[in-house]
Amino acid sequence: MEDLILFSCLIVSSSWPDHFIHLFGNLVSVPSGGTTPCHYGEEVWQDGSSLRTTIRAENEVEANKLANNYRFGFRKWKSHVTERPIEDRSDIVRELYSELNFVRPQGSLITCGNIAYLILFGWWISLAYLLVCVLMFLTIIGVPYGKLCWKLSCYFLWPFGKSILKVTVMTVLFHIFPHYVCARAFVCVCMCVCACLLACLVSCAVPCWVQCRVSTYVWLLLGYPLLGLIHSLACFLSWILVFTIPVAKMNARTLAIILLMPPEDVHIHRLKKVDDQVLLCCYHAFNWYYYKYTLDGINVFAVNLLPLVITTLVVGYVDTENQFVSSEAKFAAAVSSIIPLSYYIGMGIASISAQSNFAVGAVVNATFGSITEMTFYITALLRGHKAGTKCYEEIVKAALTGTLLGCILFIPGISMIIGGFKHREQRFNSRSAGVSSALLFISVGGVFAPTLFSKAYGSLVCAGCSSSQANTSGPFTCMDCHYDMVSTYISCSPLVYTISVLLPSAYLIGLIFTLKTHSHIYDIQVSDVHDHHQGGHGTVHWSRLRALSVLIMATLLMAACADLTTEHIKPILDHSSISQYFIGVTVLAMVPEIPEIFNGIQFALQNNISLSLEVGNCIAVQVCMIQIPLLILFNTFYDVGFVLLFSDLHLWASIFSVIVVNYIFMDGKSDYFQGTALVVVYLILLALYFFAPSPHTC
């Protein structure tokens, strides 16, 4: 029976027309049961010989970016590089970008987020309005604004279910006679005549200082600055929390529009269908979907962390004696600053690659793809060479190994777990994953070949050996034994230089294999099914010049943050009871990869597990085949004492991880159990590093 089902699926899949096979948004929806093997993930069996991936994009730039995601050697990027029309997006996204000035059908207003607003913001904003209200009444002249403050005090205590309207005298009269059109016209004419006569009388008989509304000046001098400070503080706090951005929009709109209007024009009512101009109406203070909110294509978290970068650099280079900020705090701030800079670099690379031809995109990816890690590695090696210690070199090796372990174990594992919770089973192109796995084997074997050579031909050195005085023929007890790999490195240095040439050559061969001679392994085809209004190039967030400028600026800031990181890591290494191996493998290795982790998770959630796996594999291959040869090349021209010899823990952890991940990828499918296995292996290795003794050079 199973053979019959499989045979029928093959016949149906081989006979389906091409125009039925489309992956909307890079995806083919998986059946909820996950038991029919006809269509899974991103690949379709066609003509019994090839696998085709058809992608659909809004415009040519996005199509080029999506195609680059499937190409070997290109950085995988999830975010859009073009602006998407808001009218073409979902209702959830439209609500994220709304200006809180339209009335819509409301649901329940008693939610946890709204109650949290009352506790975190509502009571003290309302109290501030009460105090200003009292102040305005004391001035007597500012009584109209005092009444406005009283109304707004009640509003901001619980703004949900209410609307602030701009109501003039004309609209009030219109509401008095809603059913009489002729009466409206008559009243309109009469009001216009009366207004003209009143304006003439006022201009002739009323003094100029009365026409200027002294109450407005009192309001702008006493009331508005105090409320401006309150609203600015509330806006800043709610924006930093991200998920309370509606509160930030509400405060900003109040400060910019409502508080600058005549007080008699501002009216507050319950939310309903009205003809007046709605200035502000809010339904919910909290929305989980604001994690995807962007400004000019930049994620809101990267925007919020950018001031941290500036503050870190100013404090780090001004307070050189650590009088105001401790060295540990500067280290934490410098490491955290790498996260948004990594995001900006990734966005710049994706923008240039999507708008350029293949050659330019390949050069940009090769140049800036590893700039984050290389900046830290070179800065650490220079500082260690200046200080005359080998500890920084061991930290660099631990960071290299940690990046390797995290990219081949943690990123695929966490993506499989989160994607497996949403999709029962996910399929991926095992042939393309096999290419990355083969390159991973080659790269790990090449990188650790000098270490294996030193183990085979190195000499064992011990700090001291002793034997029992009663039995001189008994065994010796030796302390602090290790291989003298540095002396062995002199004899195996030709091997190191040979490997530093072979590894980039293998990477280049992999590019030619996957992009030129055997591109049918991926068989990327961009669907021409577009809406008429989406057929253009789209509005690009960043032009090539702007993206290049951002790349250069982010690289310079990255170098400065890396310098601060290496400068303030020494006190942590000296006074910490945790192994230096563990610090390098976790903090220094995985913090720069946080944007890549989120990219992999988002791909998995959209049933695009192939790209989730490629995210980690590509970084791991680049670490071995590009970054390490570049470090050897840098050490050749400027000797900083970098020796391509790793400890036993690095060696066996890396080899074991590569074997495990290749075993997991053999069947071409994934679920949350396989992801759990990878993450557990990663955590076990982290436990080894946590309890391992520090390097003897530290």
Side-chain angles (χ1 to χ4, degrees):
M1 187 65 183
E2 294 177 355
D3 295 336
L4 180 60
I5 294 175
L6 179 60
F7 180 75
S8 62
C9 289
L10 290 175
I11 291 179
V12 171
S13 61
S14 62
S15 60
W16 253 4
D18 290 344
H19 61 271
F20 280 99
I21 305 173
H22 293 293
L23 306 180
F24 296 94
N26 291 2
L27 302 177
V28 170
S29 59
V30 181
S32 59
T35 58
T36 304
C38 295
H39 301 283
Y40 279 99
E42 301 165 348
E43 56 191 35
V44 179
W45 185 267
Q46 184 182 28
D47 298 331
S49 59
S50 62
L51 297 173
R52 172 173 295 179
T53 299
T54 304
I55 58 178
R56 182 181 180 184
E58 296 89 348
N59 50 66
E60 294 181 10
V61 177
E62 286 298 326
N64 194 21
K65 187 211 73 175
L66 294 176
N68 288 339
N69 276 344
Y70 286 90
R71 290 170 177 164
F72 174 76
F74 281 73
R75 190 166 185 168
K76 318 305 175 189
W77 193 252
K78 179 63 181 64
S79 301
H80 278 67
V81 296
T82 58
E83 185 176 356
R84 305 172 67 185
I86 192 65
E87 60 272 10
D88 298 332
R89 308 184 73 174
S90 63
D91 294 337
I92 295 176
V93 177
R94 290 182 188 180
E95 184 180 354
L96 297 183
Y97 293 94
S98 67
E99 295 298 331
L100 303 182
N101 60 349
F102 67 94
V103 178
R104 61 179 176 82
Q106 66 182 44
S108 175
L109 299 176
I110 308 297
T111 62
C112 295
N114 292 350
I115 296 175
Y117 163 83
L118 178 64
I119 299 173
L120 297 177
F121 299 99
W123 68 271
W124 56 272
I125 296 178
S126 178
L127 180 60
Y129 270 100
L130 283 177
L131 296 177
V132 175
C133 173
V134 173
L135 180 62
M136 290 294 102
F137 274 102
L138 291 177
T139 61
I140 299 178
I141 300 176
V143 168
Y145 287 96
K147 296 179 180 179
L148 175 64
C149 290
W150 168 253
K151 292 190 292 185
L152 292 178
S153 174
C154 299
Y155 174 82
F156 279 102
L157 183 65
W158 185 264
F160 316 107
K162 307 173 186 177
S163 63
I164 299 180
L165 311 176
K166 181 180 181 181
V167 182
T168 60
V169 177
M170 186 72 65
T171 57
V172 172
L173 291 176
F174 283 173
H175 283 294
I176 296 176
F177 307 103
H179 301 293
Y180 299 96
V181 179
C182 294
R184 287 191 178 190
F186 176 76
V187 171
C188 182
V189 173
C190 294
M191 289 299 300
C192 290
V193 174
C194 294
C196 294
L197 294 176
L198 185 61
C200 294
L201 292 175
V202 169
S203 61
C204 297
V206 181
C208 178
W209 63 274
V210 176
Q211 298 180 39
C212 293
R213 298 189 65 169
V214 180
S215 61
T216 302
Y217 294 106
V218 174
W219 167 254
L220 294 177
L221 289 175
L222 298 179
Y224 186 82
L226 297 176
L227 293 177
L229 181 62
I230 294 297
H231 280 296
S232 299
L233 178 61
C235 188
F236 172 77
L237 294 176
S238 56
W239 183 273
I240 290 297
L241 295 176
V242 175
F243 301 105
T244 56
I245 286 181
V247 179
K249 291 183 177 181
M250 183 171 58
N251 284 273
R253 195 169 182 84
T254 302
L255 187 61
I257 298 178
I258 297 173
L259 295 183
L260 297 178
M261 291 176 55
E264 62 272 10
D265 291 349
V266 180
H267 293 265
I268 301 176
H269 298 286
R270 305 297 299 180
L271 286 176
K272 59 182 179 179
K273 187 64 177 179
V274 293
D275 297 329
D276 305 301
Q277 182 180 356
V278 178
L279 300 176
L280 182 63
C281 60
C282 185
Y283 300 90
H284 300 287
F286 193 92
N287 193 335
W288 279 109
Y289 288 96
Y290 269 103
Y291 74 89
K292 59 173 64 176
Y293 191 79
T294 60
L295 293 176
D296 200 16
I298 306 172
N299 187 271
V300 62
F301 289 100
V303 175
N304 288 348
L305 287 176
L306 191 58
L308 174 65
V309 178
I310 307 301
T311 304
T312 299
L313 295 178
V314 171
V315 173
Y317 286 105
V318 172
D319 184 23
T320 55
E321 301 297 330
N322 301 329
Q323 296 179 354
F324 303 100
V325 182
S326 64
S327 183
E328 291 79 5
K330 291 181 180 178
F331 171 78
V335 172
S336 301
S337 300
I338 295 177
I339 300 174
L341 295 177
S342 301
Y343 181 90
Y344 282 92
I345 290 175
M347 182 69 179
I349 293 174
S351 299
I352 295 178
S353 300
Q355 301 175 68
S356 308
N357 55 32
F358 168 74
V360 175
V363 171
V364 171
N365 275 270
T367 305
F368 291 96
S370 302
I371 197 69
T372 303
E373 297 85 357
M374 290 301 301
T375 303
F376 169 75
Y377 298 152
I378 293 177
T379 305
L381 291 175
L382 289 173
R383 188 168 295 277
H385 178 69
K386 182 179 179 180
T389 176
K390 283 289 192 179
C391 189
Y392 288 92
E393 181 186 351
E394 293 297 330
I395 293 296
V396 169
K397 293 177 183 178
L400 285 168
T401 308
T403 304
L404 187 64
L405 299 179
C407 290
I408 65 180
L409 290 177
F410 182 74
I411 295 180
I414 196 68
S415 301
M416 286 181 181
I417 292 174
I418 298 179
F421 287 149
K422 184 176 182 181
H423 309 281
R424 181 174 180 179
E425 187 176 79
Q426 296 176 291
R427 293 290 182 98
F428 54 89
N429 191 337
S430 58
R431 293 193 64 187
S432 61
V435 174
S436 300
S437 299
L439 287 173
L440 199 57
F441 263 119
I442 296 172
S443 57
V444 170
V447 166
F448 290 100
T451 304
L452 294 173
F453 182 88
S454 66
K455 298 296 182 184
Y457 300 102
S459 57
L460 187 65
V461 178
C462 298
C465 298
S466 61
S467 61
S468 176
Q469 297 181 356
N471 186 7
T472 56
S473 60
F476 284 91
T477 302
C478 299
M479 304 295 294
D480 192 15
C481 296
H482 61 276
Y483 283 95
D484 187 12
M485 296 189 294
V486 177
S487 60
T488 311
Y489 184 76
I490 299 175
S491 60
C492 71
S493 56
L495 174 62
V496 173
Y497 295 128
T498 302
I499 290 172
S500 63
V501 174
L502 291 177
L503 288 180
S505 301
Y507 186 80
L508 181 61
I509 293 173
L511 288 176
I512 297 174
F513 178 82
T514 56
L515 302 178
K516 186 68 176 176
T517 62
H518 287 67
S519 58
H520 63 274
I521 293 178
Y522 300 93
D523 198 5
I524 305 301
Q525 178 180 351
V526 180
S527 173
D528 57 355
V529 182
H530 300 283
D531 293 335
H532 179 70
H533 64 280
Q534 292 179 336
H537 284 76
T539 304
V540 182
H541 289 298
W542 295 359
S543 63
R544 295 184 186 91
L545 180 60
R546 181 183 177 185
L548 182 61
S549 302
V550 170
L551 279 177
I552 295 174
M553 182 61 65
T555 302
L556 295 177
L557 294 176
M558 182 73 70
C561 291
D563 181 66
L564 290 177
T565 302
T566 56
E567 178 183 355
H568 296 285
I569 195 176
K570 186 62 176 175
I572 297 177
L573 298 178
D574 293 338
H575 302 94
S576 176
S577 59
I578 303 175
S579 172
Q580 284 81 353
Y581 283 143
F582 183 78
I583 297 175
V585 167
T586 54
V587 178
L588 302 180
M590 295 308 296
V591 167
E593 309 301 335
I594 288 180
E596 308 298 336
I597 296 174
F598 281 105
N599 281 335
I601 292 174
Q602 290 180 359
F603 285 133
L605 287 175
Q606 293 187 351
N607 202 18
N608 204 344
I609 194 64
S610 293
L611 291 185
S612 298
L613 304 182
E614 289 294 329
V615 166
N617 283 342
C618 285
I619 298 175
V621 170
Q622 284 185 350
V623 167
C624 296
M625 292 191 167
I626 294 181
Q627 295 179 17
I628 290 179
L630 284 177
L631 289 177
I632 296 173
L633 180 64
F634 175 77
N635 187 77
T636 302
F637 288 97
Y638 188 86
D639 189 6
V640 292
F642 179 72
V643 178
L644 193 62
L645 297 175
F646 293 84
S647 66
D648 290 349
L649 188 56
H650 296 329
L651 171 65
W652 301 119
S654 301
I655 294 177
F656 177 71
S657 300
V658 172
I659 294 174
V660 170
V661 79
N662 277 275
Y663 176 77
I664 294 292
F665 291 169
M666 284 176 58
D667 56 356
K669 62 181 180 180
S670 68
D671 48 49
Y672 74 90
F673 175 74
Q674 291 179 333
T676 303
L678 293 179
V679 173
V680 168
V681 171
Y682 178 72
L683 295 178
I684 290 174
L685 294 178
L686 290 188
L688 290 177
Y689 282 103
F690 182 83
F691 295 107
S694 300
H696 65 277
T697 55
C698 295

